[in-house]
Every structure is written in structure tokens, then in C-alpha cells.
Amino acid sequence: MENSKSLRTWLDDFKLSHPLVIAGPCSAETEEQVLKIAHELKDSDVNIFRAGIWKPRTRPGGFEGVGEIGLQWLQKAKAETGLLMAVEVANAAHVKLALEHDIDVLWIGARTTVNPFAVQEIADALENTDKIVLVKNPVNPDLSLWLGGVERLYNAGIRKLGVIHRGFSTYEKSKYRNIPEWQIAIELQNRFPDLPLICDPSHITGRRDMILEVSQQALDLNYDGLIIETHTDPDNAWSDAAQQVTPDALKQIFIDLRIRKITDEADDYNQKMAGLRAQIDELDSKLIESLGKRMKIADKIGALKKERNVAVLQNKRWNEILGKMVLEGEEKGLSEEFILKMFKAIHQESITHQEKVINHK
């Protein structure tokens, strides 16, 4: 699959003056609930109504969706409001039912994207469809796996494609439900700049009070749209209550969001930007030079450990470094999350250098 302006055709056809918005409840619960939310979103910036019909749960016993009957509720909502309808599909049976009920947009969830067999089954069931198909990132931070899902659909003759960034699972402490790892989505943009990219702040944050913040970050990074979970009574929602916002709160988010220009052609802007970027380039070069010097010292440490038959990993020393750097980073205005990521990467590179020295014969 190659990047092409044609990848954006389905999005351009909406002729929007604002980013694409997909919104609706995490789960379709009752016909009344679906219709009430759809009508409250009808006269807003929402373009597509979403509702979970089949809900993949991590452990058995939780609410797993109402199933096929919910598709009938979506049909009724579409007829009454004119909104397009979107559902998640996880297998060929879901696809068959969604197509039979004339669902407009289908998305593949994070738990399904990780399984190439499941994605291929869905691609085969959707072969040559003119429906819009969106692929959420896999739960683990793997860009190749994410793009692989898109390519399987493309190879099946599906041309109305897009991706949803919903963050990545982590065992580390974080303010997010799923850490954004923005650089992965940015790399995807660099490879396929015309493939529509949609942010899912609901699943990234897991908290309704952070939806605006993450939505703004996505728009600042030139995302094409947002998918936001919306419920008239979110505290009593049957699934993911904490991350859903009311329709009124969603409309306020639309008011508060700021859409940035791609660039500014003014001479003074370009001159100032060129000067600042030159400073960044110089500092980046110094960073690389410093890291190179650090690794040469790591090589010497490895040689000393080899001479004295000492293990590479020294947890006490590592924890001391990490604690110190977090404190120094905070003084310089750097987040703990950033410091941890950076020094873990540096530490891993240092270990690699030392292991090469110790194991060299």
C-alpha cells in the first residue's frame, strides 16, 4: 500500500469546516437510550453516531453488548436523525450482520487488531465494500501491526480506510488509561500523510475530565477527527462510565477546542521559526555527542566488570540514578513520564554496550 491523495476522498466528501466527529455511547443499552443520545447529538458537530453492539471484555462475566437487536436500534436512530452509524466488528459474523443492517462505518478494535487472522477474516468478509472501515491501534505499541491491519483491508479492495489512535496498554503508572505514545501516531502520519487519522481521547484518558485536553493535543498534531464516548447518564452507563461525557459537555468541548493553522506564510513568522529551529538543531547535535560520550564510559564500565566478573545489572545504582534524574528533570520543567522513558532507553543502551564488552571473546 502506498500513500495517495485518494485515501482522503471519503473524508473530503463530508465537506467539513471542522474535524470529523464520531460520538455516542460506549455501549448500546436500550432502544430508548440510543435514540435519546442520537437526537441530542443530531444538531451538533457530530457526523457519525457510534455505539458498541458487541463488547470484548477482558474477563468473563461483564456486559458484552446487546448483540444484533442493537443494530435495529441504530437503524431507527439513523432514520430519525440522518446521522451515519458506526459499530465495532470483531469477526465475519459481526460484519455480516452490520452489512445486513446497513451500518455505514465499521471499526476494528484494539484487541482484534493484534490478531492478523481475525483482521484477515474481517477483510475477506468486507471484500470490495464501499463502507468506511477504521482500524484502531493494537493494544501494544507496534506500528507495523497497526499498518498491517490497514494493508490487509486495502488488499481486499477496501478503499475508504482510516485509523483510530486510542493509546497503548502499559504496566507503568500513568495518568492515562492507555498511554498515547504520540510518536507512534506521528510516525504513521509521516508514512501515510493522507490516511485519515482519528483520535480516541475517551480510551486514551479513561477520564471525562481529560477529554478536552487530549482532544486539543490531537488537533494540535493535525489529526483529522475525534471519536468520543457520549452518554446522557454517564455515571450509570453499563460500560466505561468514567470516560463518557454528556451531550452538553461534548458540545462545550466543540466550543472550547481550537483548530490550528497548518503554518503561517508571514515573513516574520518564518524568520523567527528558522532561528528557533537552528537552536534546536544545535542542541540535538550536542545531545547525540553527549550520549556517545556516555556510552564510551559504559564500555569502560563493562570492561571493568568483565575483569572483576561482576554482573552487568546493578539495580541499586540504577534506582539511584532514576530518582535523581526525575528530581532534576522536574526542576527543569520536564515531566516524570518523559524522564522515565528517556533514561530507561539510555539505560538499556548502556546495558547493551556493557554486554557486548563482557561477552566479547
Side-chain angles (χ1 to χ4, degrees), residues 113-247:
T113 306
V114 300
N115 185 345
F117 293 112
V119 176
Q120 189 61 56
E121 176 185 321
I122 293 169
D124 292 341
L126 282 169
E127 188 172 7
N128 295 321
T129 185
D130 63 351
K131 302 291 186 182
I132 298 167
V133 185
L134 308 174
V135 182
K136 283 196 173 186
N137 63 255
V139 292
N140 49 310
D142 187 334
L143 179 56
S144 293
L145 194 57
W146 193 3
L147 286 174
V150 177
E151 289 168 340
R152 289 178 185 277
L153 294 164
Y154 186 87
N155 290 341
I158 301 161
R159 293 296 179 263
K160 295 181 180 180
L161 293 167
V163 290
I164 299 174
H165 174 210
R166 50 81 77 190
F168 302 89
S169 297
T170 178
Y171 62 86
E172 298 175 351
K173 178 184 176 182
S174 171
K175 66 178 182 178
Y176 302 104
R177 177 181 177 184
N178 296 290
I179 54 175
E181 299 284 11
W182 295 106
Q183 73 279 6
I184 294 178
I186 290 170
E187 177 60 24
L188 185 147
Q189 280 183 313
N190 290 337
R191 294 194 196 183
F192 293 93
D194 291 302
L195 182 66
L197 174 60
I198 296 165
C199 181
D200 179 351
S202 302
H203 280 90
I204 287 175
T205 65
R207 294 168 42 185
R208 65 178 66 100
D209 64 318
M210 291 177 64
I211 298 295
L212 174 61
E213 173 191 336
V214 171
S215 296
Q216 187 63 65
Q217 284 180 274
L219 296 189
D220 291 347
L221 294 171
N222 299 319
Y223 280 53
D224 298 291
L226 302 166
I227 176 168
I228 301 177
E229 293 188 349
T230 313
H231 197 294
T232 49
D233 186 13
D235 288 333
N236 293 303
W238 295 4
S239 58
D240 287 347
Q243 67 191 40
Q244 300 191 64
V245 299
T246 64

Side-chain angles (χ1 to χ4, degrees), residues 49-151:
F49 183 85
R50 58 139 293 152
I53 301 300
W54 302 279
K55 301 298 298 181
R57 300 291 88 182
T58 302
R59 301 179 67 182
F63 174 60
E64 296 185 338
V66 296
E68 183 178 356
I69 191 172
L71 296 171
Q72 298 174 28
W73 306 340
L74 295 185
Q75 281 185 308
K76 189 170 182 179
K78 180 178 180 178
E80 293 185 8
T81 67
L83 290 169
L84 300 182
M85 296 290 133
V87 301
E88 177 179 346
V89 293
N91 55 45
H94 292 171
V95 170
K96 181 175 183 294
L97 289 169
L99 295 180
E100 288 175 355
H101 290 82
D102 196 27
I103 298 300
D104 306 283
V105 180
L106 297 86
W107 81 83
I108 298 175
R111 290 180 175 87
T112 306
T113 306
V114 300
N115 185 345
F117 293 112
V119 176
Q120 189 61 56
E121 176 185 321
I122 293 169
D124 292 341
L126 282 169
E127 188 172 7
N128 295 321
T129 185
D130 63 351
K131 302 291 186 182
I132 298 167
V133 185
L134 308 174
V135 182
K136 283 196 173 186
N137 63 255
V139 292
N140 49 310
D142 187 334
L143 179 56
S144 293
L145 194 57
W146 193 3
L147 286 174
V150 177
E151 289 168 340

Side-chain angles (χ1 to χ4, degrees), residues 289-299 321 343 346 350:
E289 183 179 353
S290 294
L291 288 171
K293 290 178 179 178
R294 192 187 194 282
M295 293 310 154
K296 286 181 179 178
I297 296 173
D299 290 337
I321 291 174
F343 273 90
I346 291 172
S350 179

Side-chain angles (χ1 to χ4, degrees), residues 200-341:
D200 179 351
S202 302
H203 280 90
I204 287 175
T205 65
R207 294 168 42 185
R208 65 178 66 100
D209 64 318
M210 291 177 64
I211 298 295
L212 174 61
E213 173 191 336
V214 171
S215 296
Q216 187 63 65
Q217 284 180 274
L219 296 189
D220 291 347
L221 294 171
N222 299 319
Y223 280 53
D224 298 291
L226 302 166
I227 176 168
I228 301 177
E229 293 188 349
T230 313
H231 197 294
T232 49
D233 186 13
D235 288 333
N236 293 303
W238 295 4
S239 58
D240 287 347
Q243 67 191 40
Q244 300 191 64
V245 299
T246 64
D248 284 343
L250 181 66
K251 292 171 186 176
Q252 186 60 48
I253 287 171
F254 296 153
I255 294 171
D256 295 337
L257 284 173
R258 294 291 175 263
I259 300 172
R260 315 293 185 190
K261 296 182 293 185
I262 296 297
T263 188
D264 190 318
E265 300 300 330
D267 289 341
D268 63 329
Y269 167 83
N270 288 313
Q271 288 173 1
K272 290 176 182 177
M273 185 60 72
L276 293 169
R277 284 174 172 166
Q279 293 178 50
I280 288 285
D281 290 345
E282 182 180 355
L283 289 169
D284 284 346
S285 294
K286 289 180 179 178
L287 276 174
I288 295 298
E289 183 179 353
S290 294
L291 288 171
K293 290 178 179 178
R294 192 187 194 282
M295 293 310 154
K296 286 181 179 178
I297 296 173
D299 290 337
K300 293 179 181 179
I301 290 173
L304 182 58
K305 287 178 178 177
K306 181 178 182 179
E307 179 185 329
R308 301 301 175 91
N309 195 32
V310 174
V312 169
L313 183 60
Q314 301 289 321
N315 274 321
K316 182 180 178 182
R317 165 68 177 164
W318 164 233
N319 288 326
E320 287 174 355
I321 291 174
L322 208 53
K324 180 183 176 183
M325 290 302 103
V326 166
L327 291 175
E328 289 190 16
E330 287 177 352
E331 291 177 0
K332 299 293 190 297
L334 302 173
S335 70
E336 179 179 345
E337 182 181 14
F338 170 72
I339 292 296
L340 290 174
K341 284 183 181 178

